[in-house]
Amino acid sequence: MQKIPAIITVFALFFFSAGAPLAEQGVIVMESGLKYEDLVVGSGPVADVGKIAVIHLDGWLDDNGPKGAKFIDSKNSGRPVAFKIGTSHVMKAWNEGVPGMRVGGKRRLMVPSHLGYGPEGAGEQVPPNADLIIEVELLEVR
């Protein structure tokens, strides 16, 4: 059997993995259009509908895939966010993207505008119909 030169193997791995379906890259695509990937899998209690999730989050405008302008950073402000999962008082993306996380976990949410702030936007920082990238760290479940 003939050996394949290492450079060709590296090129082939890069070329074929770059075009791999999102599921093969660790990205989950939900029926609603929300996409997420676990950056760190926690080991604590699981967040579920009806429970209070305490999170830190960083949020950016989605600039056609890459992170654009940052619009929130709860960690640097020292103010975690607590919300009841499954209520209409928060972004739909949080109700879909946080359940299943374990305390200590960190997840990146790719949020289409209809699951974020929609046509209203959020003040001057988030324009109407903006897609978002939000990284959530689950601190506690009550």
Side-chain angles (χ1 to χ4, degrees):
M1 181 178 233
Q2 185 177 7
K3 282 188 148 186
I4 300 172
I7 190 70
I8 293 173
T9 303
V10 170
F11 174 76
L13 286 173
F14 174 77
F15 179 77
F16 289 111
S17 66
L22 291 176
E24 291 178 20
Q25 295 177 24
V27 176
I28 306 299
V29 181
M30 302 191 70
E31 193 172 309
S32 65
L34 178 73
K35 299 175 195 158
Y36 72 86
E37 64 181 319
D38 286 317
L39 304 173
V40 175
V41 176
S43 58
V46 177
D48 205 357
V49 174
K51 295 187 177 181
I52 304 289
V54 180
I55 62 172
H56 268 310
L57 67 144
D58 290 328
W60 299 266
L61 300 178
D62 184 333
D63 190 12
N64 293 317
K67 295 173 183 174
K70 193 173 220 180
F71 67 90
I72 191 167
D73 182 343
S74 72
K75 196 169 198 171
N76 280 339
S77 72
R79 296 168 49 192
V81 175
F83 69 97
K84 186 173 185 176
I85 301 171
T87 66
S88 61
H89 303 291
V90 296
M91 247 195 290
K92 292 177 185 176
W94 290 4
N95 285 327
E96 290 190 34
V98 173
M101 287 184 72
R102 292 185 168 276
V103 170
K106 189 170 183 180
R107 184 174 280 179
R108 179 177 297 130
L109 309 176
M110 281 103 2
V111 182
S113 66
H114 70 277
L115 298 176
Y117 295 105
E120 296 83 29
E124 293 179 17
Q125 293 183 322
V126 180
N129 301 310
D131 294 336
L132 310 170
I133 298 171
I134 300 174
E135 291 182 1
V136 176
E137 180 182 357
L138 185 59
L139 304 173
E140 180 184 350
V141 173
R142 299 185 212 145

